[in-house]
Amino acid sequence: MTAVQLPPVAPEVTATLVEDLSPRLRKRLDATVTKLGARPTHRDGDTVTIAVDDETELRLHAPGGVVATVDAITCGCLLAPACVHRAAAACAAPTADPAPEPADRPSRAVPEPASATDPGSASSPEMAGPAQRAAADALWSAGAAVLEAGVDGAGAVTQSTLLRAAHTARLRHLPRAAGAALSVVTLLRAARAGDPSYRTADLVTALAELLGTAHRVGTASGAELAAVRGAARRPYSPGGSLRLYGLFTEPVVTDSGHGGVRTWVAGSDGRLCTVGDVAPGGVGRALGVADRAVRLGDSALTHRELGRAGLAVSGATVSPDGRLGAGKGVKAVTARGAAWTEPPLAALWETPPSEQAARALRSASRYADPDGGGSDLLFLDVELLGAVRESGGTCLLARCEGGMWVRLTVADDDPALAHRDNLMLLAAAPGTRLRIIGRLVPALHPRLTLLACSHPTGEGTIDLGLDRLRRADLPDPAAPVHLAPLQPEGSGAHSPLYLLERRVEQTVPAGRAALGMLGDVTAETRRMRRAGLPTAAGLLTALCTSAAQRDRDLFGRLLPADTDGFATYWLAAARYTADVAESLCAAAWEPTQAR
């Protein structure tokens, strides 16, 4: 049998199977998950079969592509259905995304019993109800347990607790917190499996989002509470009739194996929208979809063509983050586009870089409201200066308005895409002036990933991930530009903030106890205070003290650790470092930073 990917399993199914195990079998769960991961599998229609051994088979039935019930996982061993194999299979499989609620139907969640006069009820518009607060408390406890154990100790049982809390939160109309919990589980599994795409920083962000959102459910009210609760599905709202002008098309390739494209367009008022087509398929699909027709009304334009043309759309629907819906009521016909130097597109380049960066930073923030809208794109007129070496590789240095130096990097290093080759060609043409579109990279110096640019000849535009420049397209290089020494990397270039950031990250792999054994941090706190970061110094002291603190009872026995207290300090440190880093990034784009 050949190995095939297991179908995704609903969170509540995994949680139920793990909860039903005896304490003895729970101790064997992680080892069984690892064992099943190495066994051969095959697919027959909606059923995936795992060969547990030479005589026993385990089946996952996934009608519609998802294992949605406990009974859909069956095992042929003698201990079934009370065996460990069913729970292990669920833990080894990807976690299914919650099914979106239909737009014209109410939620199927069980309504909470509440009195209309109870200000703390779930039906109150002012504050969360008791059931929601209880669900948020369960999420907090599950997230705190992950911090206590670290990746090494957060096995299948800890993950199932998160999945149960996530399922309950979704039933209590807390989809944002539920989604954060599912993200933590996915990242924990990637970390424990040695997935090369896993980054500790991603798990730090997911855990801080989970803990922060769970905490805010109990304290927020009004509009803030609505944002904390989140939306169970992407809320597309009527956009009426729109006149859209194409900007560019970018390939989209994800670590999960999905591929496709996203085409950016702008309305007459300058609002940015996107039309996407992303599905399983990787980079090969991304390259192919670029020349397929856009899924919007009756338009026959391909994505590449739309990036340089226009559309007149009636019955449009638009999500808060600018995605255009493709419902049956949407009608679209091809219209004239506009050059980047013509209205309305030319106005995108007229906003000062510092204002654009501040707007993009709000969108790119690690803890931004998921439905807050906005874009992380910048539109700049630059003069290319040449290639410079960095610790992570080579980037293209450019000078924009006010003499500010901006580092331009590739959006994707995959050799099948044109990003890297195009950037290297542009780096060989110092002195070239271009109009560019890039995505903000939060850093202590001005930095973008380069997505599109005007053609060096002045005719048309280039989608830098899809179109390939030729040397003949470039003007004769100007005299070499002297690049040494490089522009200072902003006011925070040598900030000791990283001293706190690394302690926040060190907690995640090995848990609270590992941080508690680090010893004296006086030298680090002294350095932060000298740099004007007394809050960071205080947080580091409190974090390490809390990590090391273990009280004893009257008989000298260790009491349980204060996991809630440690989680509170860790969350404060994680959010503080993110906020300060974003402030330093915004400051780097201010005109006073130019040299």
Side-chain angles (χ1 to χ4, degrees), residues 35-36 43 49 84 96 104 146 184 196 213 227 231 275 325 351 410 422 425 449 480 534 543 552 578:
K35 178 182 176 181
L36 287 184
R43 181 184 299 275
T49 301
V84 72
D104 55 349
V146 172
V184 170
T213 304
V275 182
T351 303
V410 296
N422 284 334
L425 275 176
T449 54
L543 181 65
R552 296 180 181 270

Side-chain angles (χ1 to χ4, degrees), residues 54 91 120 223 285 294 351 356 367 403 405 418 427 517 528 560 583 589:
D54 293 340
C91 293
R285 186 178 190 278
V294 173
T351 303
Q356 293 192 52
Y367 307 106
W405 290 14
M517 293 187 293
M528 286 189 284
S583 296
W589 283 88

Side-chain angles (χ1 to χ4, degrees), residues 360-387:
L361 196 57
R362 288 193 295 270
S363 175
S365 171
R366 280 177 265 181
Y367 307 106
D369 181 353
D371 296 321
S375 162
D376 57 358
L377 299 184
L378 270 70
F379 304 82
L380 304 176
D381 289 307
V382 301
E383 177 187 359
L384 304 183
L385 301 179

Side-chain angles (χ1 to χ4, degrees), residues 148 512 549-552 557-563:
E148 175 70 18
R512 175 196 56 79
Q549 183 176 359
R550 289 296 302 272
D551 294 329
R552 296 180 181 270
R557 294 171 298 192
L558 282 175
L559 295 173
D562 182 8
T563 56

